[in-house]
mmCIF file of all heavy atoms in Angstrom:
data_model
loop_
_atom_site.group_PDB
_atom_site.id
_atom_site.type_symbol
_atom_site.label_atom_id
_atom_site.label_comp_id
_atom_site.label_asym_id
_atom_site.label_seq_id
_atom_site.Cartn_x
_atom_site.Cartn_y
_atom_site.Cartn_z
ATOM 1 N N TYR J 359 11.675 21.083 19.116
ATOM 2 C CA TYR J 359 11.773 20.248 17.913
ATOM 3 C C TYR J 359 10.463 19.282 17.811
ATOM 4 O O TYR J 359 9.926 19.152 16.800
ATOM 5 C CB TYR J 359 13.015 19.375 17.969
ATOM 6 C CG TYR J 359 13.017 18.209 17.138
ATOM 7 C CD1 TYR J 359 13.210 18.343 15.694
ATOM 8 C CD2 TYR J 359 12.662 16.968 17.611
ATOM 9 C CE1 TYR J 359 13.168 17.267 14.870
ATOM 10 C CE2 TYR J 359 12.538 15.794 16.770
ATOM 11 C CZ TYR J 359 12.798 16.031 15.406
ATOM 12 O OH TYR J 359 12.706 14.864 14.573
ATOM 13 N N GLY J 360 10.166 18.710 18.936
ATOM 14 C CA GLY J 360 9.008 17.794 19.058
ATOM 15 C C GLY J 360 7.760 18.467 18.553
ATOM 16 O O GLY J 360 6.914 17.829 17.776
ATOM 17 N N ILE J 361 7.517 19.737 18.963
ATOM 18 C CA ILE J 361 6.312 20.427 18.579
ATOM 19 C C ILE J 361 6.299 20.697 17.032
ATOM 20 O O ILE J 361 5.315 20.469 16.423
ATOM 21 C CB ILE J 361 6.258 21.760 19.357
ATOM 22 C CG1 ILE J 361 5.964 21.543 20.781
ATOM 23 C CG2 ILE J 361 5.108 22.629 18.727
ATOM 24 C CD1 ILE J 361 6.119 22.764 21.633
ATOM 25 N N LEU J 362 7.446 21.112 16.543
ATOM 26 C CA LEU J 362 7.528 21.322 15.026
ATOM 27 C C LEU J 362 7.425 19.982 14.230
ATOM 28 O O LEU J 362 6.753 19.989 13.193
ATOM 29 C CB LEU J 362 8.757 22.098 14.694
ATOM 30 C CG LEU J 362 8.926 23.525 15.213
ATOM 31 C CD1 LEU J 362 10.131 24.129 14.557
ATOM 32 C CD2 LEU J 362 7.692 24.274 15.074
ATOM 33 N N GLN J 363 8.063 18.987 14.779
ATOM 34 C CA GLN J 363 8.087 17.682 14.086
ATOM 35 C C GLN J 363 6.672 17.110 13.939
ATOM 36 O O GLN J 363 6.176 16.628 12.951
ATOM 37 C CB GLN J 363 9.025 16.723 14.752
ATOM 38 C CG GLN J 363 9.021 15.303 14.159
ATOM 39 C CD GLN J 363 9.430 15.266 12.699
ATOM 40 O OE1 GLN J 363 10.600 15.872 12.413
ATOM 41 N NE2 GLN J 363 8.763 14.737 11.859
ATOM 42 N N LYS J 364 5.945 17.224 15.057
ATOM 43 C CA LYS J 364 4.553 16.757 15.055
ATOM 44 C C LYS J 364 3.714 17.503 14.092
ATOM 45 O O LYS J 364 2.868 16.924 13.353
ATOM 46 C CB LYS J 364 3.888 16.852 16.475
ATOM 47 C CG LYS J 364 4.295 15.635 17.424
ATOM 48 C CD LYS J 364 3.434 15.792 18.687
ATOM 49 C CE LYS J 364 3.724 14.616 19.612
ATOM 50 N NZ LYS J 364 3.031 14.785 20.832
ATOM 51 N N PHE J 365 3.857 18.800 13.969
ATOM 52 C CA PHE J 365 3.148 19.696 13.106
ATOM 53 C C PHE J 365 3.432 19.214 11.615
ATOM 54 O O PHE J 365 2.617 18.968 10.915
ATOM 55 C CB PHE J 365 3.382 21.131 13.249
ATOM 56 C CG PHE J 365 2.593 21.977 12.320
ATOM 57 C CD1 PHE J 365 1.390 22.472 12.681
ATOM 58 C CD2 PHE J 365 3.055 22.158 10.952
ATOM 59 C CE1 PHE J 365 0.635 23.256 11.769
ATOM 60 C CE2 PHE J 365 2.450 22.927 10.057
ATOM 61 C CZ PHE J 365 1.138 23.538 10.417
ATOM 62 N N TYR J 366 4.755 19.106 11.394
ATOM 63 C CA TYR J 366 5.166 18.788 10.009
ATOM 64 C C TYR J 366 4.729 17.445 9.589
ATOM 65 O O TYR J 366 4.214 17.198 8.493
ATOM 66 C CB TYR J 366 6.679 18.862 9.947
ATOM 67 C CG TYR J 366 7.173 19.344 8.549
ATOM 68 C CD1 TYR J 366 6.421 20.163 7.746
ATOM 69 C CD2 TYR J 366 8.399 19.041 8.150
ATOM 70 C CE1 TYR J 366 6.876 20.616 6.535
ATOM 71 C CE2 TYR J 366 8.931 19.457 6.894
ATOM 72 C CZ TYR J 366 8.086 20.207 6.071
ATOM 73 O OH TYR J 366 8.512 20.553 4.809
ATOM 74 N N ALA J 367 4.799 16.411 10.489
ATOM 75 C CA ALA J 367 4.308 15.119 10.141
ATOM 76 C C ALA J 367 2.848 15.110 10.059
ATOM 77 O O ALA J 367 2.242 14.332 9.111
ATOM 78 C CB ALA J 367 4.712 14.104 11.334
ATOM 79 N N GLY J 368 2.201 16.015 10.583
ATOM 80 C CA GLY J 368 0.613 16.135 10.518
ATOM 81 C C GLY J 368 0.189 16.621 9.175
ATOM 82 O O GLY J 368 -0.977 16.498 8.870
ATOM 83 N N ILE J 369 1.045 17.159 8.402
ATOM 84 C CA ILE J 369 0.691 17.505 7.053
ATOM 85 C C ILE J 369 0.384 16.254 6.176
ATOM 86 O O ILE J 369 -0.373 16.356 5.219
ATOM 87 C CB ILE J 369 1.860 18.311 6.388
ATOM 88 C CG1 ILE J 369 1.920 19.695 7.094
ATOM 89 C CG2 ILE J 369 1.579 18.586 4.878
ATOM 90 C CD1 ILE J 369 3.159 20.487 6.639
ATOM 91 N N ARG J 370 0.909 15.182 6.606
ATOM 92 C CA ARG J 370 0.745 13.921 5.929
ATOM 93 C C ARG J 370 1.375 13.933 4.496
ATOM 94 O O ARG J 370 0.708 13.478 3.533
ATOM 95 C CB ARG J 370 -0.734 13.512 5.866
ATOM 96 C CG ARG J 370 -1.324 13.309 7.245
ATOM 97 C CD ARG J 370 -2.662 12.650 7.254
ATOM 98 N NE ARG J 370 -3.074 12.469 8.645
ATOM 99 C CZ ARG J 370 -2.680 11.467 9.475
ATOM 100 N NH1 ARG J 370 -1.829 10.600 8.975
ATOM 101 N NH2 ARG J 370 -3.077 11.342 10.650
ATOM 102 N N CYS J 371 2.592 14.314 4.479
ATOM 103 C CA CYS J 371 3.370 14.331 3.332
ATOM 104 C C CYS J 371 4.739 13.520 3.636
ATOM 105 O O CYS J 371 5.570 13.950 4.427
ATOM 106 C CB CYS J 371 3.753 15.641 2.823
ATOM 107 S SG CYS J 371 5.073 15.869 1.564
ATOM 108 N N GLY J 372 4.882 12.452 2.961
ATOM 109 C CA GLY J 372 6.031 11.559 3.167
ATOM 110 C C GLY J 372 7.361 12.161 2.802
ATOM 111 O O GLY J 372 8.456 11.593 3.269
ATOM 112 N N HIS J 373 7.361 13.141 1.960
ATOM 113 C CA HIS J 373 8.649 13.840 1.611
ATOM 114 C C HIS J 373 8.973 15.049 2.432
ATOM 115 O O HIS J 373 9.931 15.717 2.076
ATOM 116 C CB HIS J 373 8.568 14.192 0.045
ATOM 117 C CG HIS J 373 8.625 13.070 -0.911
ATOM 118 N ND1 HIS J 373 7.430 12.418 -1.198
ATOM 119 C CD2 HIS J 373 9.626 12.611 -1.570
ATOM 120 C CE1 HIS J 373 7.727 11.462 -2.110
ATOM 121 N NE2 HIS J 373 9.066 11.513 -2.354
ATOM 122 N N SER J 374 8.172 15.391 3.416
ATOM 123 C CA SER J 374 8.446 16.462 4.302
ATOM 124 C C SER J 374 9.306 16.065 5.443
ATOM 125 O O SER J 374 8.681 15.631 6.500
ATOM 126 C CB SER J 374 7.123 17.152 4.747
ATOM 127 O OG SER J 374 6.396 17.640 3.645
ATOM 128 N N TRP J 375 10.494 16.292 5.371
ATOM 129 C CA TRP J 375 11.521 15.769 6.415
ATOM 130 C C TRP J 375 12.063 16.880 7.200
ATOM 131 O O TRP J 375 12.295 17.978 6.818
ATOM 132 C CB TRP J 375 12.651 15.027 5.774
ATOM 133 C CG TRP J 375 12.308 13.689 5.276
ATOM 134 C CD1 TRP J 375 11.872 13.281 3.975
ATOM 135 C CD2 TRP J 375 12.272 12.518 6.146
ATOM 136 N NE1 TRP J 375 11.541 11.923 3.984
ATOM 137 C CE2 TRP J 375 11.866 11.348 5.206
ATOM 138 C CE3 TRP J 375 12.476 12.170 7.438
ATOM 139 C CZ2 TRP J 375 11.706 10.110 5.762
ATOM 140 C CZ3 TRP J 375 12.378 10.926 7.906
ATOM 141 C CH2 TRP J 375 11.899 9.905 7.138
ATOM 142 N N MET J 376 12.261 16.618 8.564
ATOM 143 C CA MET J 376 12.848 17.477 9.472
ATOM 144 C C MET J 376 13.819 16.706 10.226
ATOM 145 O O MET J 376 13.631 15.577 10.663
ATOM 146 C CB MET J 376 11.786 18.087 10.361
ATOM 147 C CG MET J 376 12.235 19.044 11.520
ATOM 148 S SD MET J 376 10.928 19.631 12.518
ATOM 149 C CE MET J 376 10.145 20.800 11.338
ATOM 150 N N SER J 377 14.934 17.383 10.488
ATOM 151 C CA SER J 377 16.050 16.727 11.318
ATOM 152 C C SER J 377 16.320 17.367 12.562
ATOM 153 O O SER J 377 16.049 18.688 12.746
ATOM 154 C CB SER J 377 17.337 16.664 10.515
ATOM 155 O OG SER J 377 17.834 18.014 10.150
ATOM 156 N N MET J 378 16.681 16.634 13.583
ATOM 157 C CA MET J 378 17.001 17.137 14.895
ATOM 158 C C MET J 378 18.086 18.130 14.896
ATOM 159 O O MET J 378 19.030 17.915 14.095
ATOM 160 C CB MET J 378 17.243 16.072 15.863
ATOM 161 C CG MET J 378 16.088 15.038 16.046
ATOM 162 S SD MET J 378 16.497 13.712 17.120
ATOM 163 C CE MET J 378 14.941 12.828 17.237
ATOM 164 N N PRO J 379 18.141 19.109 15.827
ATOM 165 C CA PRO J 379 19.278 19.959 15.868
ATOM 166 C C PRO J 379 20.547 19.245 16.192
ATOM 167 O O PRO J 379 20.560 18.397 17.062
ATOM 168 C CB PRO J 379 18.915 20.945 17.045
ATOM 169 C CG PRO J 379 17.479 20.829 17.124
ATOM 170 C CD PRO J 379 17.118 19.493 16.684
ATOM 171 N N TRP J 380 21.667 19.425 15.477
ATOM 172 C CA TRP J 380 22.864 18.617 15.597
ATOM 173 C C TRP J 380 23.394 18.779 16.968
ATOM 174 O O TRP J 380 23.925 17.759 17.454
ATOM 175 C CB TRP J 380 23.880 18.979 14.663
ATOM 176 C CG TRP J 380 25.106 18.262 14.711
ATOM 177 C CD1 TRP J 380 26.302 18.672 15.201
ATOM 178 C CD2 TRP J 380 25.193 16.814 14.438
ATOM 179 N NE1 TRP J 380 27.239 17.661 15.105
ATOM 180 C CE2 TRP J 380 26.585 16.480 14.733
ATOM 181 C CE3 TRP J 380 24.427 15.802 13.965
ATOM 182 C CZ2 TRP J 380 27.085 15.164 14.490
ATOM 183 C CZ3 TRP J 380 24.840 14.524 13.810
ATOM 184 C CH2 TRP J 380 26.221 14.278 14.057
ATOM 185 N N LYS J 381 23.351 19.937 17.649
ATOM 186 C CA LYS J 381 23.886 20.063 18.941
ATOM 187 C C LYS J 381 23.242 19.088 19.947
ATOM 188 O O LYS J 381 23.915 18.503 20.694
ATOM 189 C CB LYS J 381 23.714 21.449 19.375
ATOM 190 C CG LYS J 381 24.377 21.867 20.757
ATOM 191 C CD LYS J 381 24.170 23.398 21.022
ATOM 192 C CE LYS J 381 24.865 23.710 22.306
ATOM 193 N NZ LYS J 381 24.777 25.195 22.645
ATOM 194 N N TRP J 382 21.950 19.061 19.913
ATOM 195 C CA TRP J 382 21.244 18.125 20.815
ATOM 196 C C TRP J 382 21.397 16.629 20.413
ATOM 197 O O TRP J 382 21.633 15.828 21.314
ATOM 198 C CB TRP J 382 19.784 18.522 20.882
ATOM 199 C CG TRP J 382 18.932 17.560 21.748
ATOM 200 C CD1 TRP J 382 19.096 17.539 23.160
ATOM 201 C CD2 TRP J 382 17.906 16.627 21.366
ATOM 202 N NE1 TRP J 382 18.203 16.614 23.580
ATOM 203 C CE2 TRP J 382 17.494 16.068 22.640
ATOM 204 C CE3 TRP J 382 17.420 16.338 20.179
ATOM 205 C CZ2 TRP J 382 16.498 15.058 22.537
ATOM 206 C CZ3 TRP J 382 16.466 15.262 20.180
ATOM 207 C CH2 TRP J 382 16.053 14.736 21.361
#
Side-chain angles (χ1 to χ4, degrees):
Y359 161 79
I361 290 169
L362 295 190
Q363 177 63 52
K364 278 188 179 181
F365 180 94
Y366 211 28
I369 293 174
R370 299 194 175 279
C371 168
H373 288 84
S374 295
W375 283 95
M376 175 178 288
S377 61
M378 297 178 177
W380 179 250
K381 185 177 183 179
W382 179 68

